[in-house]
């Protein structure tokens, strides 16, 4: 019988980081650091759940996060293994600023709000921090070739938020990576809505035009929340794209 890798994991059940993220983080690090070689079999979710005393759905989510990131593969008759060709590039999440530039357009930003405040109960829950902790609330208008594309609302712990002047010329994720707080995974929901009067005015559209909305929580490699955002995009200028890695 082939011996499967059993990751050394210590769960902090009092931490704000989800248990599934605490499980996936050390496996992710072991793969990226080269400790786990391509093709290495990984302990299955049933064994993982029993050993760590977590629910099976929690263990499944931890492994599925790495499958979706291209770091693990599920193979019939074999189980879960380290991907032969880990998709490391999927872990570098681009900002809209970078996406616009990579498409050959000019990206610019108008900062509408940059407010230091204390976390309300709702904000604290979203960021996994204590109520009254220091946070920064951002509101930015992103433009492509001078034309408004999106309204970006973000909340971050004050200790890691980039300076206001840096956000005028660079993307948020780009700056977080540079400061050692790189987002490596997200949990998000996508929807379609109609803008209110202010949103329509900022985006230079009518209130009848649809907008794309994305509610996103970003995690670092340790599973700690680094940012919560709610973004509103012009549907005629932005297309949402995602990469799906097939299970084998």
């Amino acid at each position: 019988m082939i011996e499967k890798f059993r990751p050394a994991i210590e769960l902090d059940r009092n931490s704000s980081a989800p248990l599934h993220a605490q499980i996936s983080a050390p496996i992710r690090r072991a793969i990226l650091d080269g400790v786990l070689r391509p093709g290495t079999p990984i302990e299955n979710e049933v064994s993982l759940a029993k050993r760590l005393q977590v629910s099976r759905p929690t263990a499944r989510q931890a492994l599925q996060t790495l499958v979706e990131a291209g770091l693990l593969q599920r193979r019939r008759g074999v189980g879960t293994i380290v991907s032969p060709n880990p998709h490391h590039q999927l872990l570098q999440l681009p900002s809209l600023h970078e996406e616009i530039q990579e498409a050959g357009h000019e990206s610019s930003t108008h900062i509408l709000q940059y407010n230091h405040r204390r976390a309300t109960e709702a904000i604290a829950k979203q960021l996994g921090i204590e109520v009254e902790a220091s946070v920064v609330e951002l509101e930015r208008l992103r433009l492509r070739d001078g034309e408004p594309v999106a309204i970006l609302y973000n909340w971050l712990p004050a200790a890691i938020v980039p300076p206001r002047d840096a956000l005028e010329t660079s993307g948020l994720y780009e700056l977080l990576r540079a400061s050692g707080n790189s987002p490596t995974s997200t949990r998000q929901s996508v929807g379609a809505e109609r803008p209110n009067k202010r949103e329509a005015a900022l985006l230079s559209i009518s209130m009848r035009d649809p907008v794309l909305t994305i509610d996103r929580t970003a995690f670092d490699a340790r599973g700690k929340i680094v940012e919560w955002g709610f973004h509103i995009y012009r549907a005629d200028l932005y297309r949402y794209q995602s990469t799906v890695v097939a299970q084998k």
Side-chain angles (χ1 to χ4, degrees), residues 18-230:
L19 291 176
H20 70 83
Q22 293 185 49
I23 295 170
S24 63
I27 303 174
R28 183 195 306 273
R29 285 197 297 270
I31 295 172
L32 296 179
D33 290 344
V35 175
L36 288 179
R37 307 303 300 169
T40 302
I42 303 294
E43 179 181 17
N44 65 42
E45 65 192 42
V46 175
S47 173
L48 195 60
K50 183 177 181 179
R51 182 167 65 86
L52 298 178
Q53 296 185 325
V54 298
S55 69
R56 185 170 174 179
T58 295
R60 182 185 305 119
Q61 185 175 1
L63 296 179
Q64 183 61 27
T65 296
L66 299 175
V67 170
E68 292 174 354
L71 296 176
L72 295 180
Q73 289 184 358
R74 287 198 171 104
R75 291 187 172 178
R76 184 172 300 175
V78 177
T80 303
I81 65 170
V82 177
S83 174
N85 296 294
H87 296 275
H88 291 194
Q89 70 275 15
L90 297 180
L91 299 178
Q92 180 163 307
L93 302 170
S95 63
L96 178 57
H97 175 76
E98 293 171 300
E99 290 180 356
I100 291 174
Q101 289 184 326
E102 289 173 0
H105 298 280
E106 179 185 356
S107 176
S108 57
T109 304
H110 292 165
I111 297 182
L112 307 177
Q113 291 189 70
Y114 186 101
N115 300 326
H116 286 267
R117 58 175 298 176
R118 297 294 178 182
T120 62
E121 185 174 348
I123 293 174
K125 182 177 180 180
Q126 291 289 346
L127 290 177
I129 58 177
E130 297 292 329
V131 175
E132 294 293 317
S134 181
V135 299
V136 171
E137 180 180 57
L138 304 176
E139 182 186 15
R140 295 166 295 152
L141 181 65
R142 178 79 76 229
L143 298 95
R144 186 184 75 184
D145 297 331
E147 189 170 13
V149 175
I151 305 169
L152 311 174
Y153 299 96
N154 302 90
W155 293 262
L156 301 92
I160 67 170
V161 68
R164 178 180 180 132
D165 58 349
L167 286 165
E168 292 176 343
T169 57
S170 301
L172 175 59
Y173 282 11
E174 179 183 359
L175 294 169
L176 288 174
R177 290 197 299 270
S179 66
N181 298 290
S182 179
T184 60
S185 63
T186 65
R187 180 180 64 237
Q188 59 189 25
S189 60
V190 181
E193 300 178 12
R194 301 286 184 184
N196 61 31
K197 185 176 181 180
R198 178 175 181 271
E199 293 164 351
L202 286 172
L203 293 173
S204 299
I205 57 177
S206 78
M207 294 175 64
R208 296 186 301 275
D209 292 321
V211 292
L212 178 71
T213 63
I214 298 181
D215 188 315
R216 173 184 296 164
T217 301
F219 302 86
D220 65 14
R222 298 167 296 173
K224 184 177 181 180
I225 298 173
V226 294
E227 174 261 345
W228 168 45
F230 183 75

